[in-house]
Amino acid sequence: HRGCRLGITFPEIYDMQIRAIITAAIRVSMRHVCIHPQIMVPLVMNVNEIKTLYNRIHKVAAEVIEYEGFHVTYEVGTMIELPRAALVADQIADFATFFSFGTNDLTQTTMGLSRDDAGKFLTQYIVDGILEKDPFKTLDVEGVGALIEMACEKGRNVRPDLKCGVCGEHGGDPESIGYCARIGMDYVSCSPFRIPAARLASAQAAIEMDEAAKGV
């Protein structure tokens, strides 16, 4: 098993990671460096998973802060990688200050495709017109995108300042970045070699939205 399930069944693994994050944040803060850790819980499927780990994270963090005698602020958020998590995003938002949409896994779990073997038939699917584009390169707006939009809306209805972003290869795809900007995403995250293209696409999307707002 993987994701948050590992942290629930073997809590000592996450405890170790939380202690390391908070201790490091304290040590850096003591050097007068402004730091604000964001702790992201992966692969959540329902509110009980995030609630369980939210409470555990705060408990361990409080112990470290008391031991060190120095306070730091931090946030707890989650990765939305499963369709069910998107469907109950309003419940999850009670315990998460940010959503990072893991679109690689969300595409797999929504479309029933595996990145490991989909390459064997995706080319034929595109040639035959079954799929317009490779959904692992350009976000499937009608399906995966609909889940993302719904999750953002539901989450922000509960927590208006909820930060939403995309994490995965789609975060480096110009077309996907443009879509994310149009639906009000706060950020995109991608692999290092995609950063220049992602910055350019983000800037272009911002200009296009600004011109559209001005009626240019």
Side-chain angles (χ1 to χ4, degrees):
H1 53 302
R2 57 187 281 246
C4 66
R5 292 90 193 250
L6 188 65
I8 290 173
T9 54
F10 297 97
E12 61 274 14
I13 296 176
Y14 276 20
D15 289 358
M16 172 192 64
Q17 294 176 334
I18 299 306
R19 288 193 191 98
I21 291 169
I22 301 302
T23 299
I26 289 172
R27 302 290 166 80
V28 171
S29 296
M30 286 178 171
R31 298 175 187 171
H32 307 291
V33 177
C34 182
I35 186 168
H36 185 70
Q38 292 181 310
I39 299 169
M40 186 159 58
V41 179
L43 211 67
V44 164
M45 70 173 176
N46 70 14
V47 68
N48 291 325
E49 286 183 328
I50 185 70
K51 181 180 179 180
T52 297
L53 290 170
Y54 174 91
N55 291 332
R56 184 87 184 190
I57 289 167
H58 284 309
K59 176 180 178 294
V60 174
E63 291 172 355
V64 175
I65 289 170
E66 182 179 4
Y67 176 80
E68 295 286 345
F70 192 95
H71 182 74
V72 290
T73 58
Y74 61 93
E75 292 182 64
V76 176
T78 188
M79 289 195 78
I80 304 292
E81 302 165 273
L82 302 173
R84 192 184 192 284
L87 292 168
V88 297
D90 51 339
Q91 299 174 28
I92 292 173
D94 279 329
F95 300 94
T97 62
F98 63 91
F99 286 170
S100 181
F101 291 88
T103 51
N104 293 339
D105 277 339
L106 189 57
T107 296
Q108 291 190 114
T109 54
T110 300
M111 302 184 74
L113 300 174
S114 169
R115 285 197 299 166
D116 294 333
D117 61 12
K120 298 175 183 177
F121 61 84
L122 278 179
T123 299
Q124 181 180 341
Y125 264 44
I126 293 168
V127 170
D128 292 347
I130 296 173
L131 288 174
E132 185 177 343
K133 297 177 180 178
D134 183 340
F136 293 112
K137 294 180 179 178
T138 300
L139 192 67
D140 165 45
V141 172
E142 289 184 343
V144 178
L147 284 173
I148 291 173
E149 289 188 52
M150 179 187 65
C152 288
E153 181 179 356
K154 292 177 71 116
R156 285 171 172 162
N157 283 339
V158 173
R159 190 184 294 272
D161 61 346
L162 181 76
K163 294 183 288 293
C164 294
V166 163
C167 176
E169 292 307 301
H170 298 104
D173 172 62
E175 186 174 333
S176 302
I177 289 172
Y179 169 74
C180 291
R182 290 192 297 274
I183 66 172
M185 287 280 188
D186 297 296
Y187 68 90
V188 295
S189 174
C190 62
S191 52
F193 77 94
R194 290 178 176 268
I195 289 175
R199 284 178 170 170
L200 177 60
S202 297
Q204 290 172 334
I207 292 170
E208 289 173 4
M209 291 173 63
D210 185 56
E211 290 179 345
K214 294 177 180 177
V216 177

